[in-house]
Amino acid sequence: MFLGVDGGGTKTAFCLIDSAGTIRARAVAEGAYYFADNATDGVGHVVRVLEEGIRAVTEAAGITRADIGHAFLGLPGYGEVPGDVAALDAAPGQVLGHRRYACDNDMICGWAGSLGAVDGINVISGTGSMTYGERHGRGIRTGGWSELFSDEGSAYWIATRGLNLFSRMSDGRLPEGPLAGVLRRHLGLTTDLEVIDVVLNRWQGHRSEIASLSPLVVEAAGLGDTEAAAVLTGAGRELALLVDSARRGLGFSPGEPVPVSYSGGVFRSAAVLDAFTTELRGGTAEYELRQPLFEPVVGAAIYAAKLAGTPLGAPALAALRSTSEITTPENHHDTA
C-alpha cells in the first residue's frame, strides 16, 4: 500500500494505491498551507489535516495505518522556511505511527504525476508558478519566489499586468481596448478608481482574489485586445524560461531530449500554451512535450512506491492509468 498526499492552499488530496495499480481509496481535506489565516497554530494545522485525510482513506480501504508501506507527502511551503522543516518532517509520523514516509514541497506531486516519476521537468502555472525536475536522482526547483517579485507566467502575474493595463487605459496612456470594459463589468465598478478599493481594501491584496482576474485577460485577448494578448504571450515565454533554467541546472546537454510536461489552470489558455511551445522550439535544446499521465495526488502515491524501492511496473501503471482521472488541462503530445 502506498499513500500519496498532495497538499494545497485550499484543499489537500489523499490517494491510497496498491502495488497492482489499483486505487484503494481517496479523500479530500482542507488546505495544508500552514501560513493561511485559518492555520492559527502553524504546523499543528498540518497534523490535523493529515489526521483527517489519513483516517478517511484507511477506513475506506479497510486497513490500518501500519499497513501503509510507504507514503509521500507534498506539503505547500515546505523548504521555504528552513526553521520549520524539522517540524514538518515530523508531522506525518504523529499520524501514521511509523517513519515509512518522506515529505517535500507539493511541486514534486505535479512532476511525479505528469511524467510518472521519471526523469524530466514539470512546470506548474496556477495561482503561482514554478518548475520541478529530476535527472539521475537529483531534483531541482526553479521559480516560485513568491508573487511579490516572482511567479512569472502565473495567474497572479497575468492578473497584475492586466490591472496595470486597465490603469493605463483609463488614464489614456494606452488606447482603450476590450480589457477595460471586461474588468469594469466583472468588478461592477462605478468609477475606474474604485478598482483600488476593490483590490486593496475589500480584497486586502490577497493573491488568490487577484489571480482570479487572469481569465478576464484571456477573455479580453479573445475579443481582440492586443495588449492583453501580449501579456499571455509573455506568460508563455516566462514559463519556457523556467523550464530551460531547470534543464541547465539538471545538466541535460543541448542535444539530449528532455521530457517536459505542464499543469495548472493557466495552461487552459491556448495563447499561453502556444507561446510556451514556440519558445521551447526556438532554442537549441530538444524538448519532448508530453501530456500529463496522472493527477498530482496519484503521482505522489507513485513516488511513494519509488522511494520505497518498489516502483510500480508497466502493468501496474497501465492499470492505474485506466482508472485515474487527469485533472490538468487537456494537452497534446508534441515535440518542441
Side-chain angles (χ1 to χ4, degrees), residues 150-233:
S150 179
D151 283 358
E152 294 86 355
S154 67
Y156 184 93
W157 187 91
I158 291 169
T160 55
R161 276 149 186 77
L163 289 168
N164 178 262
L165 289 176
F166 176 77
S167 69
R168 294 191 194 196
M169 290 175 182
S170 180
D171 283 347
R173 288 177 285 155
L174 281 177
E176 183 168 311
L179 177 64
V182 168
L183 276 169
R184 287 185 190 115
R185 288 191 298 272
H186 178 80
L187 297 175
L189 302 179
T190 55
T191 68
D192 287 356
L193 281 176
E194 190 182 3
V195 73
I196 299 172
D197 180 47
V198 171
V199 175
L200 298 184
N201 298 326
R202 301 180 210 170
W203 294 354
Q204 293 291 298
H206 287 165
R207 67 195 293 262
S208 58
E209 297 277 12
I210 294 171
S212 70
L213 298 177
S214 63
L216 303 182
V217 180
V218 176
E219 179 184 344
L223 294 172
D225 193 309
T226 56
E227 297 290 347
V231 170
L232 300 179
T233 298

Side-chain angles (χ1 to χ4, degrees), residues 16-275:
L16 189 66
I17 67 174
D18 61 26
S19 57
T22 303
I23 294 178
R24 298 291 296 272
R26 287 179 178 268
V28 176
E30 64 180 301
Y33 187 56
Y34 64 104
F35 289 117
D37 292 340
N38 64 326
T40 55
D41 59 343
V43 177
H45 174 76
V46 177
V47 174
R48 288 198 307 277
V49 170
L50 295 180
E51 173 65 38
E52 178 186 346
I54 291 172
R55 181 176 64 250
V57 292
T58 52
E59 288 179 356
I63 66 169
T64 69
R65 299 174 193 197
D67 294 323
I68 297 174
H70 207 81
F72 177 75
L73 305 99
L75 303 175
Y78 183 98
E80 295 171 6
V81 182
D84 291 344
V85 169
L88 289 171
D89 280 337
Q94 299 178 44
V95 181
L96 290 169
H98 59 73
R99 289 287 307 174
R100 297 187 301 274
Y101 67 86
C103 297
D104 211 313
N105 194 278
D106 58 307
M107 65 187 176
I108 294 180
C109 303
W111 161 78
S114 66
L115 293 173
V118 301
D119 285 359
I121 299 166
N122 181 63
V123 57
I124 306 164
S125 184
T127 301
S129 66
M130 67 174 69
T131 65
Y132 179 78
E134 283 196 10
R135 180 172 182 259
H136 301 330
R138 186 171 73 88
I140 191 170
R141 162 183 171 166
T142 60
W145 293 84
S146 89
E147 72 275 10
L148 290 180
F149 51 88
S150 179
D151 283 358
E152 294 86 355
S154 67
Y156 184 93
W157 187 91
I158 291 169
T160 55
R161 276 149 186 77
L163 289 168
N164 178 262
L165 289 176
F166 176 77
S167 69
R168 294 191 194 196
M169 290 175 182
S170 180
D171 283 347
R173 288 177 285 155
L174 281 177
E176 183 168 311
L179 177 64
V182 168
L183 276 169
R184 287 185 190 115
R185 288 191 298 272
H186 178 80
L187 297 175
L189 302 179
T190 55
T191 68
D192 287 356
L193 281 176
E194 190 182 3
V195 73
I196 299 172
D197 180 47
V198 171
V199 175
L200 298 184
N201 298 326
R202 301 180 210 170
W203 294 354
Q204 293 291 298
H206 287 165
R207 67 195 293 262
S208 58
E209 297 277 12
I210 294 171
S212 70
L213 298 177
S214 63
L216 303 182
V217 180
V218 176
E219 179 184 344
L223 294 172
D225 193 309
T226 56
E227 297 290 347
V231 170
L232 300 179
T233 298
R237 289 173 178 166
E238 290 287 353
L239 295 169
L241 288 174
L242 287 174
V243 170
D244 204 50
S245 65
R247 176 190 64 80
R248 294 193 305 273
L250 288 168
F252 284 99
S253 61
E256 184 179 0
V258 183
V260 174
S261 196
Y262 45 96
S263 55
V266 168
F267 282 108
R268 294 192 182 98
S269 164
V272 173
L273 182 56
D274 288 346

Side-chain angles (χ1 to χ4, degrees), residues 285-313:
E286 183 179 347
Y287 291 106
E288 296 176 357
L289 211 55
R290 298 185 178 182
Q291 179 180 352
L293 294 172
F294 304 98
E295 59 189 296
V297 67
V298 176
I302 293 170
Y303 196 49
K306 183 176 181 178
L307 292 175
T310 54
L312 299 185

